[in-house]
Each structure stands twice: as structure tokens, then as C-alpha cells.
Amino acid sequence: MTAPAIVLVADGPDDPAVATTLQAIARGLQGARKDLRIHLARLEGVKPPLQKVIASLVAEDVAEAVLVPLDLVSAADHAEELDTFHHSPDIHVVVSRPVGPASELLNILDERVREALHRGGALEIDGLVLGAPAGADVRGNSLLARRARQWSTHHRLPVQLAVDEGDGRVTAAAVASLRAQGRRHIAVGSLFLTPTPAYQSHAQAALRAGAIAVTAPLGDSDHLRHLILARYAFGAMELLDGIPTQLSVEDLDGEES
């Protein structure tokens, strides 16, 4: 039997820039793992819809698929649609944990910060904002706070966490808070996967508030591919034994530390 297919599942608007970024992620993963079938599906009525992607796998006689939610802020929960959509009984589908706010994402943020500083001609920073979209589950919010502390410890700089509702206000407030502490060279790390309107609002608000650099969305990277493949591996294990793979809080702490 062939390996289960990977279906990368993303929500977000029907926007060309978002679609281009997601397609680049799927292509990058396919290039790294030519032995696997990689597909991209979208939620909220955006093409390609999940149901159509699964139907195409059935038409190709694919018997198993793992859905990997491309959600960078939730640690365990996923869209209800992934559990309720109807598909052929000829394919066994499981949903993995979301990518989530894993510690590896800080490595991508470091790269993006360096790129943003280079673009702006900046030489140093004295404060950081970790910006992320709202909508995380309880565990995800806890991990986001931990990532901010880890980033602060790693760089020995104050880090403000900004979980933004999509209008940029929380990001602007985080920058303002650091400026009130006397910080004048503030960079904003954006834990956004694609350039959604929420990301654009977050980035513009940060610059208006006085940040000297704002990172681009994470997009495709080796670190992200490794995380996706790790989530896929757990889902594939469930397909093997038919028993959902459950991780305790202690297991998650160890994995995400």
C-alpha cells in the first residue's frame, strides 16, 4: 500500500497573494518529498475546496489521507469542517494536530527579522514584538506566551506578545509599550503564514507606531516543512492502528519546549 497522501488545509481569504504563498508551501514540500502525494485544500468556500480535493484522491485510488491544518496558533483544535465534511467511504481520512506555535517557528522568525532589518538598513534592535493572529485554542495561547518568553531569553531583549484581532491595534499597543520603556529600535516578528489582510493591518500598525522593521509572513521554509511532516507522521500512525494518537500535556510540553 502506498503512503497516505498529505492534504495541507488552510483557511483565509480568496486572495491572490495568499494563494501564491500557500501554493509555494505545497510545491516546496512536494520538492522535498517526491515520494508523497501533496495536495492543498482551502476552507470557507475558497478553491480548491477540501471535498473536491478528497474526491480527486479517491479517483486516483488513494486509500488514505492525512489532513494537516496550516494553523500556526492553535495547538490541538481544528476547524469543525474537517470533522463534518462528507467523503467517499473508499478513503480513510484523519486530521493531524495543527502546525501550531512550535518552538521551531522562532528560527524562521529570526531569519525573517534579519531580512527585514537588512531591507531597512538597520544595524541593531533593543526590543521585539511577537505578533500573531487571534483565534488560538487555550493550549495555543499558552504556547504563544511561552514562545515570547523563549525569544526574550534567547536574544536578551524585552519581547511583547501581540495577539492581534485583525485591525492592528494590539500590535501598535505592544510597540508603544516598548517605546514607553525607552526602546527605540523595535522589530516585529510576524507569526502569520501568508499576507492576509489581517497581516497587512498588523504590519502597517507596527510601522505607524514606530517599529523600525516588520517581518514578512513566514511562508515556505525548511523548518515549516519539518513541522508539517512531523504532524503527518503522527496522523499516519493513527491510520496504521486505527487508534487516535493522544498526547498528554506533559508530552506536548516536551515536544514544544
Side-chain angles (χ1 to χ4, degrees):
M1 182 180 293
T2 58
I6 302 179
V7 180
L8 305 177
V9 184
D11 58 9
D14 189 6
D15 178 274
V18 172
T20 297
T21 302
L22 292 172
Q23 289 161 6
I25 292 169
R27 285 196 304 270
L29 185 60
Q30 186 67 80
R33 289 297 305 269
K34 294 182 174 62
D35 58 315
L36 297 175
R37 293 173 182 264
I38 313 294
H39 291 264
L40 173 66
R42 303 291 302 277
L43 300 178
E44 301 177 357
V46 181
K47 296 180 180 180
L50 176 59
Q51 194 152 355
K52 186 173 181 179
V53 170
I54 297 300
S56 70
L57 291 174
V58 173
E60 296 170 8
D61 294 325
V62 176
E64 299 175 327
V66 178
L67 311 185
V68 181
L70 296 182
D71 178 348
L72 302 186
V73 295
S74 292
D77 295 348
H78 54 256
E80 183 180 351
E81 182 180 343
L82 300 186
D83 294 321
T84 59
F85 82 100
H86 297 289
H87 58 81
S88 167
D90 295 328
I91 187 169
H92 188 185
V93 177
V94 298
V95 185
S96 79
R97 287 197 297 118
V99 171
S103 58
E104 290 88 343
L105 296 183
L106 295 181
N107 296 321
I108 309 176
L109 281 182
D110 283 340
E111 295 171 3
R112 299 292 182 265
V113 167
R114 287 192 290 269
E115 293 167 359
L117 291 172
H118 180 73
R119 286 196 303 270
L123 298 177
E124 63 178 21
I125 56 175
D126 58 10
L128 286 163
V129 172
L130 177 57
D137 54 20
V138 173
R139 179 64 184 155
N141 281 323
S142 175
L143 286 173
L144 284 171
R146 179 181 296 183
R147 299 300 164 243
R149 294 192 297 271
Q150 288 177 325
W151 217 26
S152 177
T153 299
H154 177 70
H155 291 291
R156 299 181 181 179
L157 291 172
V159 174
Q160 289 282 331
L161 175 62
V163 179
D164 210 295
E165 295 287 346
D167 56 12
R169 292 182 184 179
V170 177
T171 300
V175 175
S177 176
L178 288 171
R179 289 181 62 82
Q181 299 171 32
R183 309 289 170 168
R184 291 295 179 267
H185 305 284
I186 301 164
V188 178
S190 306
L191 203 60
F192 290 75
L193 184 62
T194 63
T196 59
Y199 164 78
Q200 301 293 351
S201 295
H202 145 89
Q204 293 163 9
L207 294 172
R208 287 196 300 267
I212 64 168
V214 181
T215 66
L218 299 191
D220 183 36
S221 75
D222 287 340
H223 294 294
L224 180 63
R225 288 177 211 140
H226 293 155
L227 286 169
I228 290 171
L229 290 171
R231 302 298 181 258
Y232 165 74
F234 272 96
M237 286 172 59
E238 180 179 336
L239 284 169
L240 283 174
D241 57 25
I243 301 172
T245 304
Q246 298 291 338
L247 293 181
S248 67
V249 172
E250 290 75 15
D251 291 329
L252 280 168
D253 285 340
E255 184 185 17
E256 304 294 353
S257 62

